[in-house]
Amino acid sequence: MSRRYRNNYRDDPYGKEDTLRKRNSGAWNYQSILCGYVFNILNISRLNESCAMLACSVIPKERLLPLLQEGAKLVERELESDDALREELEDTLLNSDKPSLPAKPDAAALFAVIDSSEHRDKLISVLQTELIMLADEYNQLNGSSSFQELEKLAAAFELDIEDRNILQCLYLIELVEELNDVVSDWTIRDFFTGISTAIGLSEYEVQTRLSPRAKLIKYELVDERWGRNNTFGVSNQTFAFLSITARENPQDMFLDSVPLDETYPLESFGVAPESTNAILEFLSRTGSNNILLFGKEGTGKTEYAKSLCKARGKKLVRFSDPSVKNRNDSSVLNLILAIQSIPTEEYILLVDEAEEILSTKANSFFSFFGARESSKSRVNELLDFAKCPIIWIVNSTAGIDDSTLRRFCFAEEFRSLTPAIIRGFTQQYLASIPLSQAAREKIIALAGRLRLNASSVRYIRDSLNSMLKEAGNQETLPDDAVLSRVRAVFESNVRLLTGEVPNACTTVDEYDLDILNTSVDARTILDAVRRAGERRIPARFLFTGASGTGKTEFARYIAETVGRTLTVKQASDILSPWVGMSESNVASIFRDAERDGSVLFIDEADSFFYDRAGAARSWERTLVNEFLTRIENFSGVLICATNAPDRLDAAFERRFHQTVQFGALDIDAIPRILRRYFPTVHFTEEDLFDLYTCGQLTPGDVGALAGRIALFSDPSAITAQYVVRELRK
């Protein structure tokens, strides 16, 4: 096999010029170990091209020259039949005036001649004697210092001396190019013979320790090299770890202490108290206790982990490893090493953004970027035998194999933060900032309305602290400047995350339940929704009535009052021209609302709740069936609205706990809504009666007129007669 040769022999082989490792004298005496490997390999290997280059690379050139001269003299008679080689050697090695080392191909050719001669054993003996002397010199120079990185691996994976010796040998084969060239010529049988000879272990023992269930293979410290000879080598992550010198303690390298000075009360996250208590119980134990927090980003998972740790009275450390971000196979290895370095009694480990580590499904997204199914066994072993409690945080469990999921003793899903939770976070973050009570209340209300996350609230706290510092730490920041800054920061964050900024006006501040004309008292409905949330039972309502009677606004008021987000869906969000897509949209809408804990409001329900008896196409029936199934299984608050209840399938009405009819404004509601929209206009009893007798006046009619007047007219010039006339049109 043709080889590429280095131009020069090494002056100081494996000293300080190795490009892969730069070790100071005494850091690891692997030169002596390599001499031992070459000594033993010479006993079983032919003096072929690769073996010749290995010997030449180990022995310094000033000591190699006399050895080669002695070898050339041994085969002087044989060289007479090879004119070309003899002429080359006479110009270099056999030059009586100024002998020098021959070119490496000529040296390899000389070894080949010696190997086929009767003097082979003599030269091997000379080479081995030199290797013994070199090993002794390296020992005297460097001592017997241990391979610290290998010792750390051995401790982490509980490797015995035989496993360590095999791993060390395979690492040097990977590291030293000439040794790798020798091994690449071996068959799998030669490989086991060569490794056993090099490290002084039986072939059977080497085969046993490289079997699939052995530690070296199971933990992926060593992997099989599929190719011409199917030999074994250290895995990429093992090589990367062993090849970095002067490593710090793994605890200093991969773990960051997490401050617990600012944490939220555990009850402020919306997690059921019984779930929090169970997690705290698991975290109080020693040994392998894995907690999984999952859900969409920005829902408070990391903050909850910090609060758990503080409540448990333990220190929290976060695993931080660049190889995780780069999808490097070293991440699991580094995590194992970090776990081994943690004092188990007083610490809890946090592994944030853990998808890259836990993605053990063969067809997961991260597997496309290099995750292998074989990594599953090592991740599962890590979960089974971790020596401290670990909190794992992921946004999705989709890429995690079922066998891995079963190893978590508790899992908690985090949904979108409700307005009530966001308001609580905001109130706590603003507690130390000198604000007027009015400004504080407006900021808290705005944060809940804009559906922010905990990070956004933290940003505004930091921004207001900067304002306070710029203002010379005055007693109270001016309201106008504060609210302007808050709105700018909040809206920037919301626009970045959602692509839009919702109306910052709240329904709760202005809403008047007494304006509604409903068949069931509005406060009764609101109490029922509150009760459903407390008892964690479903609540399903069907709102019917003409457009403008207040169905949508009342649904928004319900959501804001109970501290939840209102998810509004219409026909355009559900219906699709593609077969099966409408049904898929229905499933997704209910699933997302269930996950986020939002109030689901489906407007224009008659667009897809139509009577199946009149369905002309099969997909119309399947869409209705999909809705029926999803409504039946939905455990949250569902409100559907329609102005054509007679078109609904009869099975739908049975699915709702209460049907609520919304009517036009009654005689008592008309003056109340007029005072709300036109506070400066005086209406007589005759005006009010005139509006009532029209019989069809709705809250939407009054609101639309108020908006039109604000846009096109001077509000101060508006009269009662004008309002009455416009409303009666």
Side-chain angles (χ1 to χ4, degrees):
M1 184 172 70
S2 176
R3 304 230 180 251
R4 292 183 303 156
Y5 297 99
R6 294 188 178 92
N7 292 330
N8 301 310
Y9 293 89
R10 299 190 182 198
D11 292 319
D12 181 17
Y14 311 105
K16 302 177 180 63
E17 296 180 356
D18 196 306
T19 57
L20 292 177
R21 301 175 62 87
K22 295 182 179 178
R23 291 188 172 277
N24 296 322
S25 176
W28 174 42
N29 185 11
Y30 76 109
Q31 299 95 334
S32 174
I33 296 170
L34 182 60
C35 287
Y37 290 167
V38 178
F39 180 99
N40 291 333
I41 288 173
L42 286 174
N43 287 326
I44 62 169
S45 178
R46 292 176 57 97
L47 291 177
N48 56 14
E49 184 179 328
S50 57
C51 189
M53 291 302 99
L54 175 61
C56 290
S57 69
V58 173
I59 301 172
K61 66 180 183 181
E62 68 275 5
R63 300 171 68 161
L64 182 61
L65 178 60
L67 294 177
L68 292 180
Q69 287 176 321
E70 184 174 349
K73 290 178 182 179
L74 290 174
V75 292
E76 188 173 1
R77 186 173 56 189
E78 286 80 354
L79 289 175
E80 292 178 357
S81 60
D82 192 337
D83 295 337
L85 177 59
R86 187 181 71 252
E87 289 177 5
E88 292 291 341
L89 294 179
E90 285 175 351
D91 290 337
T92 54
L93 190 63
L94 301 177
N95 189 309
S96 58
D97 295 328
K98 191 177 181 181
S100 62
L101 288 171
K104 285 192 174 181
D106 297 331
L110 175 60
F111 272 93
V113 172
I114 298 172
D115 186 59
S116 60
S117 73
E118 59 182 338
H119 305 291
R120 176 185 182 279
D121 293 343
K122 172 66 174 177
L123 181 61
I124 288 179
S125 177
V126 171
L127 291 173
Q128 289 179 327
T129 300
E130 185 63 33
L131 289 168
I132 291 173
M133 294 172 59
L134 274 173
D136 289 341
E137 291 172 14
Y138 285 133
N139 285 333
Q140 292 176 13
L141 176 64
N142 298 329
S144 57
S145 55
S146 63
F147 189 179
Q148 294 183 3
E149 285 73 30
L150 181 60
E151 293 301 321
K152 291 172 185 175
L153 278 183
F157 294 100
E158 299 180 348
L159 305 179
D160 59 22
I161 186 64
E162 287 80 10
D163 284 333
R164 289 201 295 268
N165 286 341
I166 292 175
L167 195 58
Q168 179 176 257
C169 181
L170 295 180
Y171 173 67
L172 278 178
I173 290 172
E174 195 77 24
L175 180 69
V176 180
E177 181 179 342
E178 294 83 0
L179 183 57
N180 192 287
D181 288 341
V182 171
V183 175
S184 65
D185 288 337
W186 291 347
T187 64
I188 186 62
R189 183 170 182 178
D190 294 335
F191 175 83
F192 288 121
T193 301
I195 298 300
S196 66
T197 301
I199 64 177
L201 202 62
S202 71
E203 285 189 43
Y204 174 78
E205 193 68 25
V206 173
Q207 292 180 22
T208 301
R209 292 176 180 275
L210 292 177
S211 63
R213 300 185 64 85
K215 288 184 178 180
L216 293 177
I217 302 298
K218 183 171 67 172
Y219 294 137
E220 297 180 25
L221 299 174
V222 172
D223 53 28
E224 189 168 359
R225 301 295 170 83
W226 298 100
R228 183 170 63 89
N229 299 328
N230 290 355
T231 56
F232 293 83
V234 292
S235 60
N236 291 337
Q237 60 267 34
T238 304
F239 184 82
F241 179 82
L242 295 177
S243 294
I244 298 178
T245 61
R247 276 186 177 268
E248 308 168 63
N249 186 296
Q251 186 173 353
D252 299 325
M253 291 185 64
F254 304 123
L255 299 177
D256 296 328
S257 179
V258 179
L260 301 177
D261 300 331
E262 292 184 345
T263 58
Y264 297 110
L266 283 170
E267 58 272 15
S268 66
F269 291 91
V271 179
E274 55 269 25
S275 296
T276 294
N277 292 335
I279 295 173
L280 289 173
E281 171 62 25
F282 283 118
L283 293 178
S284 66
R285 305 175 185 177
T286 57
S288 178
N289 289 281
N290 296 282
I291 306 297
L292 181 65
L293 307 181
F294 66 99
K296 61 191 302 184
E297 59 274 7
T299 51
K301 300 184 292 294
T302 302
E303 295 298 326
Y304 181 65
K306 291 167 60 177
S307 298
L308 285 170
C309 203
K310 186 172 184 178
R312 195 69 283 165
K314 293 191 177 185
K315 298 177 181 178
L316 183 64
V317 288
R318 179 189 284 111
F319 176 64
S320 177
D321 180 18
S323 63
V324 175
K325 301 294 184 184
N326 299 331
R327 190 54 204 155
N328 188 303
D329 287 338
S330 301
S331 54
V332 179
L333 174 64
N334 293 338
L335 177 56
I336 293 173
L337 292 167
I339 292 173
Q340 294 295 326
S341 68
I342 297 177
T344 57
E345 294 294 331
E346 54 182 320
Y347 284 90
I348 293 173
L349 176 62
L350 173 65
V351 185
D352 206 346
E353 299 179 0
E355 286 92 343
E356 293 89 342
I357 294 177
L358 294 176
S359 292
T360 49
K361 274 188 180 177
N363 60 345
S364 70
F365 174 80
F366 289 104
S367 68
F368 180 78
F369 295 95
R372 296 174 297 171
E373 189 173 8
S374 57
S375 301
K376 178 171 61 180
S377 62
R378 186 161 60 164
V379 171
N380 291 348
E381 289 277 350
L382 186 159
L383 293 170
D384 286 339
F385 300 109
K387 296 183 178 180
C388 68
I390 304 177
I391 299 175
W392 302 79
I393 294 179
V394 297
N395 294 333
S396 171
T397 60
I400 307 177
D401 189 82
D402 290 345
S403 66
T404 303
L405 289 173
R406 287 194 294 268
R407 285 167 164 80
F408 291 98
C409 55
F410 201 94
E412 180 68 27
E413 181 178 10
F414 278 67
R415 301 170 177 175
S416 295
L417 295 177
T418 65
I421 293 177
I422 285 294
R423 289 194 290 267
F425 285 171
T426 308
Q427 184 172 4
Q428 180 163 340
Y429 266 125
L430 299 182
S432 61
I433 299 177
L435 300 171
S436 70
Q437 186 61 28
R440 192 181 306 276
E441 291 176 356
K442 287 183 179 179
I443 295 172
I444 292 171
L446 184 62
R449 175 65 178 168
L450 293 180
R451 303 194 301 273
L452 298 170
N453 57 36
S455 297
S456 302
V457 178
R458 192 182 304 114
Y459 296 150
I460 197 61
R461 189 270 310 272
D462 296 340
S463 181
L464 292 179
N465 278 330
S466 297
M467 287 182 62
L468 187 64
K469 188 175 181 180
E470 293 168 3
N473 293 315
Q474 61 190 45
E475 290 186 5
T476 305
L477 290 172
D479 287 4
D480 291 344
V482 167
L483 294 175
S484 177
R485 175 72 62 87
V486 167
R487 183 177 291 278
V489 174
F490 278 177
E491 291 186 356
S492 172
N493 275 268
V494 173
R495 187 177 291 108
L496 179 65
L497 294 173
T498 67
E500 61 181 13
V501 178
N503 189 348
C505 297
T506 63
T507 303
V508 174
D509 294 339
E510 305 172 354
Y511 202 76
D512 185 355
L513 286 174
D514 292 324
I515 290 176
L516 293 176
N517 180 13
T518 55
S519 60
V520 179
D521 184 70
R523 291 177 178 82
T524 300
I525 298 170
L526 188 59
D527 290 341
V529 173
R530 287 198 184 101
R531 196 175 301 113
E534 293 169 358
R535 298 178 181 178
R536 297 195 167 195
I537 57 176
R540 299 189 289 270
F541 300 93
L542 176 63
F543 290 176
T544 67
S547 298
T549 51
K551 301 184 293 297
T552 302
E553 282 302 300
F554 184 44
R556 183 172 289 112
Y557 175 79
I558 290 173
E560 291 183 5
T561 302
V562 299
R564 299 194 189 188
T565 301
L566 182 70
T567 298
V568 180
K569 298 297 179 181
Q570 298 172 323
S572 59
D573 300 308
I574 296 173
L575 299 180
S576 169
W578 307 109
V579 175
M581 186 56 68
S582 297
E583 291 84 346
S584 178
N585 291 339
V586 171
S588 178
I589 286 170
F590 278 90
R591 184 169 55 249
D592 291 347
E594 185 105 45
R595 180 196 64 206
D596 297 339
S598 60
V599 174
L600 178 57
F601 179 71
I602 298 179
D603 203 1
E604 305 170 3
D606 50 282
S607 299
F608 23 75
F609 289 1
Y610 34 71
D611 193 338
R612 285 170 291 180
R617 302 171 185 85
S618 61
W619 62 263
E620 294 176 336
R621 287 187 291 272
T622 59
L623 179 60
V624 172
N625 291 336
E626 181 69 26
F627 261 115
L628 288 172
T629 302
R630 293 294 172 176
I631 291 174
E632 188 71 29
N633 295 327
F634 185 60
S635 63
V637 178
L638 171 66
I639 301 174
C640 294
T642 178
N643 54 13
D646 54 310
R647 294 177 54 191
L648 300 182
D649 190 285
F652 270 103
E653 295 193 50
R654 293 195 296 269
R655 295 297 194 280
F656 293 100
H657 297 115
Q658 183 69 58
T659 297
V660 183
Q661 297 176 354
F662 285 69
L665 294 169
D666 62 22
I667 189 63
D668 296 323
I670 291 176
R672 298 179 70 92
I673 196 170
L674 291 176
R675 283 195 298 269
R676 173 181 168 186
Y677 283 107
F678 309 107
T680 62
V681 179
H682 175 69
F683 294 91
T684 65
E685 290 291 333
E686 184 180 351
D687 293 331
L688 298 177
F689 184 77
D690 196 15
L691 289 173
Y692 175 68
T693 56
C694 74
Q696 299 299 323
L697 186 64
T698 67
D701 296 331
V702 181
L705 176 61
R708 189 165 66 250
I709 289 173
L711 186 62
F712 294 105
S713 308
D714 179 5
S716 63
I718 299 302
T719 63
Q721 290 76 13
Y722 173 80
V723 173
V724 172
R725 184 175 66 250
E726 291 297 314
L727 289 176
R728 285 184 60 86
K729 285 184 178 179

